[in-house]
Amino acid sequence: AMAVQATHLESSTLPIEYKPLEVLPLEDIAKVLENGLKNNFSEASVSVVDCPDLRQEPWGLAAEGLGGATRILDIGGVPYLMPTVKREKLYDMKDYPELTGLKSGLVIGAGAAPWPYLGRNAEMMPNLMVKEDKSVIQETHIARTFDEDGSYNTVKLPATETRNSVLGNLFISEGTPGKVLKIHCKKRTGTKNLVTCMRETLVEEFPDKSIGLGGVFNIVAGKAKIHIMPDFSPCPINTDEEANNWLKFYEMSAPFTVLSVFVANDPGLDLRVEHSHGWGQNGQGGHYHYDTTPEEVEYLGYYNMGEVCYRVDRPVETHQVGRDYEGDNLVAMVE
């Protein structure tokens, strides 16, 4: 595969909608999340703490914290990927803070890699600090498969490559220190992955409030089911079954760091309500589904609340294929 020339869409031309999110005291959210997580893990604690320096290992973020003018950004969407890819849907992440009204900001989350970079499709873990002059601190990784033998590799993008193809789910902030939620869970007793458990707990407790959280968690111990998209499918993908046959699934091992964004109760923006991508050692990386080792799993993470949700370049023709959240929480975890 070779790099290809392609031009990203001019950000000023992209349609933008936004809705305020419910901002509740972190203490209230912590209490609710802890109770919900205790139904799914034998040990769970959620507390409000001063954010540690997330530039340090194992977090590796491009900025120190998750504070300041917090936003959730959902750009593009699965309808630009399937049934057939719209390659022209290529965005520049350097513009993401500006799209949400910030002069500079930390952009973290989950999305599709810029296909021209490898000349093919790949997963991306967006993680960059965009400064006011549009220079960046780049800590973004991409994970790709190899068609020959089904192997994979994860590499860091250079600072010169800041694009995002077809879809992205991002948490944007000024990247400053401040109060955050600290999440710590061990030993899974229920059937939900960490993120779905948190999101559904908030939906249950606050059915009429749209609440958005973004941050980073580390799988400290255990293994997880991860997928990596191969190159774009030559034939159209019309069902979840076809999507799952196209994706490449792997089991990956701790330590594994995951950037995560979710919204409890879509405020009418056709959001992808949860999306988490991560990377680990030995070339590991991709889209987090759930841990496969309930007895030994341990999660540690830090999240903050988003104040506003931005929806950019929302697909006019939408569908639910490829957003199979239930598949992320198999009732018996059969695999």
Side-chain angles (χ1 to χ4, degrees):
M2 294 289 293
V4 222
Q5 289 298 312
T7 313
H8 69 265
L9 295 169
E10 199 47 63
S11 297
S12 58
T13 65
L14 299 173
I16 304 184
E17 305 160 78
Y18 60 92
K19 298 255 176 96
L21 292 165
E22 201 77 38
V23 179
L24 301 169
L26 284 176
E27 285 75 12
D28 296 3
I29 296 284
K31 233 172 277 177
V32 169
L33 286 179
E34 180 170 289
N35 287 335
L37 287 165
K38 281 183 169 163
N39 294 327
N40 202 60
F41 294 90
S42 73
E43 292 176 48
S45 68
V46 182
S47 51
V48 179
V49 301
D50 288 311
C51 193
D53 185 346
L54 296 175
R55 294 171 299 192
Q56 305 301 316
E57 287 302 312
W59 315 107
L61 295 199
E64 189 178 345
L66 301 171
T70 53
R71 318 279 194 239
I72 282 173
L73 169 66
D74 187 319
I75 188 164
V78 179
Y80 295 158
L81 175 66
M82 46 186 80
T84 24
V85 64
K86 294 183 166 44
R87 281 187 176 79
E88 70 277 12
K89 295 297 187 181
L90 191 59
Y91 312 110
D92 192 344
M93 298 190 289
K94 282 204 301 267
D95 297 337
Y96 288 3
E98 204 179 306
L99 285 173
T100 67
L102 300 185
K103 287 191 168 71
S104 64
L106 173 67
V107 178
I108 60 171
W115 65 265
Y117 181 70
L118 295 175
R120 66 181 280 140
N121 188 28
E123 301 287 347
M124 182 165 68
M125 295 57 99
N127 179 9
L128 64 162
M129 180 70 198
V130 183
K131 299 182 179 175
E132 214 168 315
D133 64 3
K134 291 289 175 90
S135 66
V136 300
I137 297 170
Q138 175 66 291
E139 297 292 342
T140 299
H141 290 78
I142 60 171
R144 53 86 47 95
T145 61
F146 292 93
D147 302 333
E148 310 77 79
D149 57 0
S151 65
Y152 59 80
N153 193 29
T154 298
V155 297
K156 221 163 103 173
L157 285 181
T160 49
E161 179 56 90
T162 56
R163 294 172 299 176
N164 170 198
S165 295
V166 301
L167 63 93
N169 299 92
L170 297 310
F171 181 78
I172 298 176
S173 69
E174 289 168 345
T176 51
K179 297 292 184 194
V180 291
L181 295 165
K182 176 183 181 180
I183 320 267
H184 193 196
C185 304
K186 283 184 189 175
K187 208 168 163 183
R188 183 170 49 74
T189 52
T191 57
K192 295 179 183 177
N193 76 47
L194 176 70
V195 181
T196 303
C197 182
M198 292 197 286
R199 182 177 59 81
E200 290 185 350
T201 295
L202 294 178
V203 167
E204 210 169 298
E205 182 70 24
F206 305 108
D208 55 343
K209 291 176 166 48
S210 292
I211 298 170
L213 266 72
V216 58
F217 66 87
N218 188 250
I219 304 175
V220 181
K223 295 184 173 159
K225 178 174 173 170
I226 305 290
H227 84 234
I228 303 177
M229 296 184 290
D231 201 2
F232 298 121
S233 174
C235 40
I237 296 171
N238 292 300
T239 65
D240 279 329
E241 192 186 5
E242 289 172 0
N244 286 330
N245 287 336
W246 167 67
L247 293 168
K248 302 293 179 203
F249 292 93
Y250 305 92
E251 189 174 58
M252 297 191 191
S253 306
F256 195 86
T257 300
V258 184
L259 305 172
S260 167
V261 184
F262 69 89
V263 176
N265 303 309
D266 184 341
L269 293 173
D270 189 30
L271 301 176
R272 181 168 190 152
V273 292
E274 62 180 68
H275 206 178
S276 306
H277 282 188
W279 71 96
Q281 295 166 344
N282 309 318
Q284 297 186 125
H287 174 112
Y288 164 81
H289 286 274
Y290 49 78
D291 68 84
T292 54
T293 54
E295 288 298 310
E296 51 191 290
V297 76
E298 180 181 352
Y299 291 105
L300 174 65
Y302 297 95
Y303 280 80
N304 201 2
M305 295 188 77
E307 296 166 11
V308 190
C309 184
Y310 285 79
R311 187 71 181 92
V312 176
D313 201 23
R314 170 179 176 173
V316 179
E317 290 176 39
T318 192
H319 59 67
Q320 294 304 310
V321 177
R323 305 193 220 185
D324 179 17
Y325 308 116
E326 291 312 307
D328 287 342
N329 303 280
L330 296 179
V331 181
M333 292 286 177
V334 275
E335 296 189 33

